[in-house]
Amino acid sequence: MSGDDRPLAWVSAPGLWRIRGLQAFLPEYRLQRLPSPRTRAVLGWGRKGTSWIGRTWAARAGLPYLALEDGFLRSIGLGEAGASPHSLLIDDLGVHHDARQPSRLESLIREPDGWFDTDMEARARALIGTLRETGLSKTSMGRLDIDLPLASGPRVLMVDQTAGDASIAGGLANRESFLAMAEAARAAAGGGQLLVRRHPATVARLKTGCLPPEALTGAIPVDDMALDVLLPQVDAVFAVSSGLGFEALIRGLPVHCFGLPFYAGWGLTTDSLPAPRRGDERSLEVLVAAALIVQARYVDPVTDSPSTPENTVCRLLQQRDRARRLAGYSACVGFSPAKRGAVRRLMNTPLGETVFFASTAAAVTAARERDGRLVVWAGKEAPDVAEAAEAASLPLWRMEDGFLRSRGLGSDFNAALSVVLDPVGIHFDGSRPSALELALEAGQTPAADVVRARALRQVLIERGLSKYNLGGETPPGWPRDRPRILIVGQVENDRSILLGCEDIATNAALVRAVRKRFPDAFLIYRDHPDTVAGNRPGRLDADTATLVDARAEGLNISACIDVCDVLATMTSLTGLEALLRGKRVMTWGRPSYAGWGLTEDALAFPRRTRRVDLDTLIAEALIRYPLYVTPDGYPCEAEDLARWLANPEPSADSGRTGGLRRWERGLIASLDRGHPPAY
């Protein structure tokens, strides 16, 4: 069905347009901002007051009203804080949390014969196993570093909710229901431990809770504890209508309900209220299949395309790992104003905060007060930063451009779409370990990431992608009767040379060393793009230039690698790009990809004792080590960025800065204080 033929649906609540991928959630409709005589359906958020106009208009027009609600695998981070939903429930009968009338979800659970077969049962069982193994929850918030005190009896968790939560009245409950829950939970705990968990929005001070202070006496708060840490330590869960009860059921815990949430009344929970429309026993697999597979719709916020619960789990796990990696307070120092907008997007996390400081002393003070860390741009690290971090006993993380960075040079103010963030050292400093080096030396790269690396390598080769993706002309027909050696020039004051080279530390010295070793080879020299652009030093002197047979400035770097037999470099990351393409690589410095048995190295690498295969190197260097974002600042993975670089689409950012002069783009970058998209 073409887009013009789809029926129109009026999005009656303007706030719904803020949902990332809204149209992809409803591919059968063409969404409109205002109603018209051709409108065939009305969309609104649940049955809230904001949906009243849409519901009233739909009823008068005799059109279906489709109620949207968050799915049960929603996001990493709170919707109240702006996190984009990965899933929605779209209900044409009611809303799942309102037991006063039927909902589409309730109908599915009540009548599974038409959709629940052995294949669906197996799929649901596998999904349950994955959720139990990973501990993924609706918003996957919380800390990992909180320990519960030892218990001499059962641990009982009671769940508070936010005042005014529609699921409370919809679950036939009220304030007294919470008091009854607290009393029953306290009795069940006996001489053990009574735990209480408030809603994340209450913890974030966005909303108030339902349990009064007297009901919390003696209860141990576990507000900030991640559910994948908390629930395995709990013996029973007491809830009114909270969705946490559903997550506890998935993990096989006894659940006591003092309201009537969608998961109650099916024989899986101990219920204080009757459920006349339900009553029939249903398996956990039916419940999970209805709620997470059949009724929920999924959209990948990165690709803006429909997804599945299984793929959504993978995406959410990637985002959870990223959020936990960046959790905490980051006091950033040494970042030019032009970098800050991009860095803010790259370090965006619902579990942390990123603040920039003009001085090391101010950054240290703030980091100590917030139990945080210092973050510094490694290429411009001032000598006092490491000393100050050590003196204050603060972690120091170093940041640098990623190996698949952008379309265009950083020195031309093209924002980075990837960076590496290293809590140990930095990859280009061959004089000491880095997190990348330690990971490769440990030899514990997950097999799944090695498989991803193999596929990513194929994409990079097929699409001719490189660090900056500058394009360029196709190389001419260079002679084939001699070995063709591509020599990659670098910026000579680059820290990778200052920290990773010994006797060969200039472009001229590299050219002379290669000519001496290969007197009869056809040498092709390519200057660094920043040097060609006049932004950085490192041009060859006239005498040394006579030692090369051809120049490759302005030519496509990937194509140059493809037609050459050998690549020679000091520490350039172009050597890694050549390795990806199966080329012979020779190094005269200590780049991160050398010393693992994949390159021919002039210098020794005493710390690097393990032999590493190419896919493992790619997995660690391009998948696990960097952080990536889409051009509009949404967290993504290496494969996503590679896809965009291969097929760039106009974005808000590129549209805003396209066609501007270099100094204008720099000014815009320096003023970029906007908030990046939430997860």
Side-chain angles (χ1 to χ4, degrees):
M1 179 180 291
S2 68
D4 290 341
D5 294 332
R6 290 177 297 172
L8 293 172
W10 172 37
V11 180
S12 64
L16 293 180
W17 287 105
R18 292 195 293 269
I19 295 175
R20 193 178 179 93
L22 179 63
Q23 179 64 77
F25 276 111
L26 293 131
E28 69 270 37
Y29 291 103
R30 186 154 50 97
L31 304 185
Q32 56 182 162
R33 293 183 179 272
L34 295 173
S36 73
R38 297 195 307 160
T39 299
R40 294 295 175 263
V42 179
L43 307 180
W45 191 259
R47 298 264 168 183
K48 287 190 173 183
T50 57
S51 70
W52 182 84
I53 292 177
R55 286 186 284 118
T56 302
W57 194 91
R60 290 177 178 174
L63 296 176
Y65 171 76
L66 305 181
L68 276 61
E69 290 279 350
D70 284 329
F72 305 111
L73 290 173
R74 186 196 188 280
S75 56
I76 305 299
L78 302 178
E80 291 88 343
S84 301
H86 289 240
S87 65
L88 290 177
L89 303 178
I90 301 175
D91 201 318
D92 59 336
L93 293 180
V95 287
H96 71 279
H97 54 70
D98 191 345
R100 293 169 294 190
Q101 64 184 65
S103 69
R104 183 59 62 185
L105 179 55
E106 182 187 272
S107 177
L108 286 169
I109 300 170
R110 191 173 63 245
E111 301 170 1
D113 292 344
W115 61 270
F116 189 76
D117 55 18
T118 55
D119 289 341
M120 182 62 72
E121 183 177 24
R123 188 178 175 191
R125 189 171 293 120
L127 187 56
I128 291 169
T130 299
L131 294 176
R132 287 180 177 177
E133 179 183 354
T134 61
L136 203 64
S137 60
K138 183 176 180 179
T139 59
S140 292
M141 293 286 284
R143 291 169 53 184
L144 307 177
D145 58 348
I146 300 176
D147 294 322
L148 292 174
L150 293 176
S152 56
R155 280 197 178 112
V156 174
L157 173 66
M158 60 178 181
V159 186
D160 195 11
Q161 292 174 243
T162 57
D165 184 340
S167 75
I168 298 173
L172 311 181
N174 51 36
R175 186 177 181 84
E176 285 67 36
S177 304
F178 285 87
L179 297 176
M181 173 195 69
E183 182 179 355
R186 192 178 298 277
Q193 287 180 355
L194 178 63
L195 312 178
V196 60
R197 184 178 180 87
R198 296 177 298 167
H199 190 278
T202 304
V203 178
R205 298 182 179 180
L206 300 173
K207 296 182 179 179
T208 57
C210 292
L211 285 171
E214 58 270 20
L216 304 178
T217 303
I220 300 172
V222 289
D223 302 331
D224 293 336
M225 238 176 138
L227 287 184
D228 54 320
V229 175
L230 172 62
L231 289 181
Q233 304 182 68
V234 168
D235 296 298
V237 171
F238 284 66
V240 175
S241 60
S242 169
L244 196 154
F246 179 46
E247 295 172 337
L249 278 182
I250 290 175
R251 288 156 180 80
L253 291 173
V255 177
H256 300 255
C257 293
F258 290 78
L260 198 59
F262 78 91
Y263 54 84
W266 308 108
L268 296 170
T269 54
T270 300
D271 304 321
S272 65
L273 298 179
R277 283 196 315 272
R278 301 174 190 178
D280 295 328
E281 292 190 358
R282 293 289 179 259
S283 68
L284 180 61
E285 286 79 8
V286 168
L287 196 69
V288 167
L292 297 184
I293 300 176
V294 179
Q295 177 63 8
R297 297 189 182 191
Y298 297 86
V299 166
D300 188 330
V302 176
T303 63
D304 196 21
S305 59
S307 187
T308 65
E310 293 83 1
N311 288 339
T312 297
V313 165
C314 292
R315 180 68 80 182
L316 288 171
L317 288 174
Q318 291 168 349
Q319 292 189 350
R320 188 182 72 178
D321 289 347
R322 176 196 183 103
R324 289 178 173 178
R325 176 182 176 185
L326 296 173
Y329 183 84
S330 294
C332 302
V333 64
F335 290 82
S336 66
K339 288 185 185 295
R340 292 178 184 178
V343 171
R344 186 176 287 108
R345 290 190 290 270
L346 283 154
M347 294 190 68
N348 176 29
T349 172
L351 301 179
E353 184 180 0
T354 300
V355 181
F356 295 91
F357 294 88
S359 71
T360 300
V364 167
T365 299
R368 292 185 69 176
E369 291 175 351
R370 299 290 297 274
D371 193 24
R373 55 185 166 257
L374 292 185
V375 180
V376 63
W377 189 260
K380 300 291 185 180
E381 181 180 343
D384 67 324
V385 175
E387 297 173 1
E390 183 176 2
S393 299
L394 288 172
L396 175 60
W397 290 11
R398 293 176 172 88
M399 181 181 287
E400 187 56 60
D401 282 335
F403 306 146
L404 189 64
R405 182 193 185 277
S406 58
R407 186 171 292 277
L409 300 175
S411 61
D412 277 340
F413 298 102
N414 290 287
L417 300 177
S418 76
V419 291
V420 299
L421 192 59
D422 197 316
V424 178
I426 192 65
H427 67 89
F428 61 68
D429 185 353
S431 67
R432 57 182 172 178
S434 67
L436 176 58
E437 179 181 285
L438 294 180
L440 289 167
E441 183 67 21
Q444 297 178 348
T445 308
D449 287 339
V450 175
V451 173
R452 286 177 60 191
R454 192 172 301 126
L456 177 61
R457 175 160 62 99
Q458 192 63 33
V459 170
L460 298 178
I461 294 171
E462 291 176 354
R463 300 305 181 94
L465 298 178
S466 60
K467 181 176 181 179
Y468 297 111
N469 301 286
L470 295 172
E473 301 295 326
T474 302
W478 289 321
R480 294 180 175 272
D481 57 346
R482 292 187 284 165
R484 287 162 295 180
I485 300 178
L486 177 63
I487 305 174
V488 182
Q490 295 179 245
V491 176
E492 291 182 349
N493 63 358
D494 190 272
R495 292 177 72 90
S496 72
I497 292 178
L498 300 177
L499 299 171
C501 292
E502 294 181 1
D503 54 327
I504 305 295
T506 65
N507 293 324
L510 175 63
V511 169
R512 289 194 294 269
V514 175
R515 175 55 76 193
K516 180 178 180 180
R517 182 164 179 179
F518 300 97
D520 300 323
F522 187 85
L523 302 189
I524 305 150
Y525 181 76
R526 178 184 171 86
D527 238 332
H528 190 279
D530 279 343
T531 303
V532 175
N535 301 329
R536 308 280 292 277
R539 298 302 293 265
L540 283 184
D541 61 85
D543 290 340
T544 307
T546 63
L547 299 178
V548 302
D549 300 289
R551 301 294 289 262
E553 288 82 33
L555 303 182
N556 183 284
I557 184 60
S558 298
C560 289
I561 293 171
D562 289 339
V563 300
C564 288
D565 303 300
V566 183
L567 184 136
T569 183
M570 290 179 284
T571 61
S572 172
L573 289 173
T574 309
L576 177 59
E577 296 170 8
L579 284 178
L580 296 180
R581 291 161 173 80
K583 295 295 180 177
R584 179 184 174 190
V585 176
M586 306 179 71
T587 71
W588 272 262
R590 291 191 177 91
S592 58
Y593 54 82
W596 306 108
L598 298 170
T599 53
E600 300 173 34
D601 307 314
L603 301 181
F605 292 81
R607 292 192 310 272
R608 301 178 188 178
T609 63
R610 182 177 290 275
R611 301 301 89 183
V612 173
D613 65 81
L614 181 55
D615 290 328
T616 298
L617 175 65
I618 297 168
E620 292 293 349
L622 269 69
I623 293 176
R624 296 174 61 78
Y625 191 42
L627 301 170
Y628 296 93
V629 293
T630 61
D632 70 345
Y634 193 82
C636 70
E637 298 295 308
E639 298 92 335
D640 302 309
L641 182 55
R643 188 182 303 114
W644 182 85
L645 290 171
N647 299 289
E649 298 177 357
S651 68
D653 188 62
S654 63
R656 180 181 61 171
T657 60
L660 297 181
R661 289 169 291 182
R662 181 176 165 228
W663 70 268
E664 292 172 314
R665 294 200 303 272
L667 178 60
I668 288 175
S670 71
L671 297 175
D672 188 356
R673 299 288 192 270
H675 295 289
Y679 276 37

